[in-house]
Each structure stands twice: as C-alpha cells, then as structure tokens.
C-alpha cells in the first residue's frame, strides 16, 4: 500500500495567475504532435523534448533514446509517453538522479516535467516521500499521470516553462547537480595557488640520495694523441685552376 501524496499549500506563482504580457522572445515555443505533420517537424519536437527533460543543449549520441524516437515517429506512443521514457532513461538517471539528493531531484523534475518550480519545502518533502516509497520510476509516473500535467500539456505537448517573463530559464539556473556536489568535485581537483596542493606535491616527491664514489686520478691513463708522421708529396695550389705550380 503506497502512501498518498501529503497535502501542501500552493503558493501564488506566476503560472497560477493569468498573464497579460506581450509575446516576445521570452515566450516559450510550444511543440505539439498535431502541429508536426512532417518528419522534420517531428525531429524538432524530439529535440525540444531532449532539451526540456535532459537540459542538454548539445545531445550526445550516448544519451539518445533511439527506440523511443522510432516509436514516436511512427505514432506508436504519445508525447507524454516519450517524456515519461526520457525521465526514466538511464541517461537521466546518470545526469540527474545519481548526482543529487531526493529534494533536488524533486525540484528538477517539477521544473522539467511540470514547467514550474516547487511551491515550498512542504511540496519537496511530499514528493520525496513518493521517491522513497515508490522508487524513482513510480515518482515519474505520479508526475506524468497527475491532473496538473494532463491539464497543462495533455497527451501530445512537450512540457515547457509556463509563463516565464523574467529571470533566466530553468535549464540555465538549474544545472544537473547542486552546489554541494560541485564543491565536492572541485575539492578533488587541482586549484592554482592553493598551498595545500604544493604541500601535497612536496610530500609526494621521493628524494633519491646520490652516492659519490671517490676516483684516484693516478689510475687514469691519458692516451698520447701526438703525430709522428711527416707530410709527404708535392704541395699543390689550393685553387685547381691556377696556371703555375706552387712549390
């Protein structure tokens, strides 16, 4: 028996209030399967889903889910199923889940799958309990199958950041891991000018002592390099074109 989602009080975030902004470059572009009749349109939708879920602007072939892509191109699955598969993929687990705490995983998944930030700490705790009881896969299913997801994105719309009119987008301010993980990674790297690195380097150097061997100069035999032969023959001109001999 799974524990139901704990109750939390939503706050008045931007996406919960009707907006009157004039469309601009900050207005998110919406990708729908109904608006993608050609293969190139489907490919643009797929890359938009990769950018939204994996938050990677340059997707490596290692992270691509070719099986899911093929099913979406053939209309065998919906966009919602494609988003679900990306969130449950091994690539997402490596990039996000394994490098963050449950609270931060909740924050990232709400921003990327529901297009909004967590309301408060109570919501982060409520969803983290879902991860602890259902596992990460069950947590993803709970978000993608939620009423909020279906109301805002339905079956065939790629999730997007709802009503962004200031600040930077989520995929820029929410990297794959938090400050505590970056600090841990950075502490293991070389920092220029850090005295600790110099001390560690000095301690790691193995000094080899030189053993001097005394040498007796009397035992050294110097070879005689003088020449006893005399030059023979008639000297010739240095220039072979001279018309007279030189004696």
């Amino acid at each position: 028996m799974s524990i139901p989602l704990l109750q939390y009080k939503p706050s008045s975030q931007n996406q919960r209030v009707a907006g009157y902004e004039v469309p601009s470059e900050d207005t998110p572009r919406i990708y729908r399967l109904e608006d993608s009749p050609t293969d190139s349109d489907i490919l643009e939708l797929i890359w938009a889903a990769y950018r939204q879920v994996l938050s990677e602007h340059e997707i490596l072939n290692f992270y691509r889910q070719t099986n899911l892509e093929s099913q979406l191109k053939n209309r065998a699955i919906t966009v919602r199923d494609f988003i679900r598969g990306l969130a449950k993929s091994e690539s997402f687990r490596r990039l996000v889940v394994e490098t963050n705490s449950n609270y931060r995983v909740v924050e990232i998944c709400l921003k990327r799958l529901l297009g909004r930030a967590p309301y408060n700490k109570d919501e982060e705790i409520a969803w983290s309990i879902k991860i602890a009881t259902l596992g990460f896969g069950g947590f993803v299913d709970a978000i993608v199958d939620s009423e909020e997801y279906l109301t805002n994105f339905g079956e065939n719309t790629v999730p997007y950041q709802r009503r962004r009119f200031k600040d930077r987008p989520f995929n820029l301010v929410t990297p794959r891991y938090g400050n505590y993980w970056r600090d841990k990674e950075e502490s293991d790297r070389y920092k220029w000018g850090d005295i600790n690195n110099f001390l560690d380097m000095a301690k790691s150097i193995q000094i080899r002592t030189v053993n001097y061997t005394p040498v007796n100069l009397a035992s050294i035999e110097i070879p005689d390099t003088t020449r006893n032969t005399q030059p023979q023959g008639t000297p010739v001109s240095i220039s072979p074109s001279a018309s007279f001999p030189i004696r």
Side-chain angles (χ1 to χ4, degrees):
M1 179 179 179
S2 62
I3 300 177
L5 186 66
L6 299 181
Q7 296 296 322
Y8 52 86
K9 186 176 181 180
S11 59
S12 296
Q13 293 184 350
N14 296 330
Q15 76 276 352
R16 301 184 67 236
V17 182
Y20 300 95
E21 298 88 17
V22 177
S24 63
E25 60 181 6
D26 292 334
T27 304
R29 179 179 175 182
I30 301 177
Y31 293 88
R32 296 187 181 91
L33 191 61
E34 296 86 349
D35 302 333
S36 305
T38 64
D39 293 339
S40 60
D41 294 333
I42 289 289
L43 193 59
E44 288 186 9
L45 184 147
I46 289 174
W47 289 119
Y50 276 123
R51 291 193 300 270
Q52 177 66 23
V53 178
L54 298 183
S55 189
E56 294 289 319
H57 299 282
E58 294 293 337
I59 304 298
L60 303 178
N61 288 331
F62 178 77
Y63 296 142
R64 294 186 62 178
Q65 307 298 314
T66 55
N67 188 22
L68 291 174
E69 291 182 22
S70 177
Q71 294 182 58
L72 183 61
K73 290 177 181 178
N74 295 327
R75 305 298 200 275
I77 59 175
T78 62
V79 174
R80 183 163 71 106
D81 293 331
F82 184 70
I83 297 297
R84 188 198 310 269
L86 292 183
K88 289 184 177 182
S89 64
E90 184 65 23
S91 301
F92 190 86
R93 179 176 294 274
R94 287 187 179 185
L95 292 173
V96 177
V97 180
E98 294 180 356
T99 56
N100 290 284
S101 64
N102 284 355
Y103 293 146
R104 183 166 173 78
V105 168
V106 169
E107 176 190 0
I108 292 177
C109 289
L110 290 181
K111 288 181 177 181
R112 299 184 185 178
L113 302 183
L114 291 183
R116 66 169 177 86
Y119 291 127
N120 44 44
K121 195 66 178 178
D122 292 339
E123 184 180 21
E124 293 183 6
I125 295 175
W127 283 113
S128 65
I129 293 177
K130 281 291 184 181
I131 297 178
T133 55
L134 300 179
F136 180 74
F139 163 69
V140 171
D141 290 334
I143 290 182
V144 177
D145 295 334
S146 65
E147 182 180 355
E148 181 179 1
Y149 183 97
L150 292 174
T151 301
N152 291 280
F153 308 117
E155 292 287 343
N156 293 316
T157 301
V158 176
Y160 55 89
Q161 183 175 346
R162 293 180 271 163
R163 290 210 55 228
R164 179 175 70 86
F165 66 95
K166 69 173 186 176
D167 299 329
R168 292 179 297 168
F170 289 152
N171 60 353
L172 296 180
V173 298
T174 310
R176 71 182 71 174
Y177 42 71
N179 296 333
Y180 61 93
W181 185 271
R182 289 200 303 271
D183 294 340
K184 177 180 179 300
E185 291 291 316
E186 189 67 19
S187 62
D188 297 334
R189 296 176 56 189
Y190 172 79
K191 294 182 180 180
W192 184 85
D194 192 349
I195 187 62
N196 293 326
N197 292 324
F198 176 78
L199 294 177
D200 293 340
M201 180 190 68
K203 292 177 182 178
S204 63
I205 296 177
Q206 297 180 358
I207 301 177
R208 297 180 180 179
T209 58
V210 179
N211 298 325
Y212 294 96
T213 304
V215 178
N216 187 6
L217 297 179
S219 62
I220 298 178
E221 213 176 286
I222 300 177
D224 187 7
T225 58
T226 58
R227 293 184 178 180
N228 297 324
T229 59
Q230 296 294 330
Q232 299 178 359
T234 304
V236 297
S237 172
I238 298 178
S239 176
S241 61
S243 58
F244 58 89
I246 298 179
R247 295 185 183 275

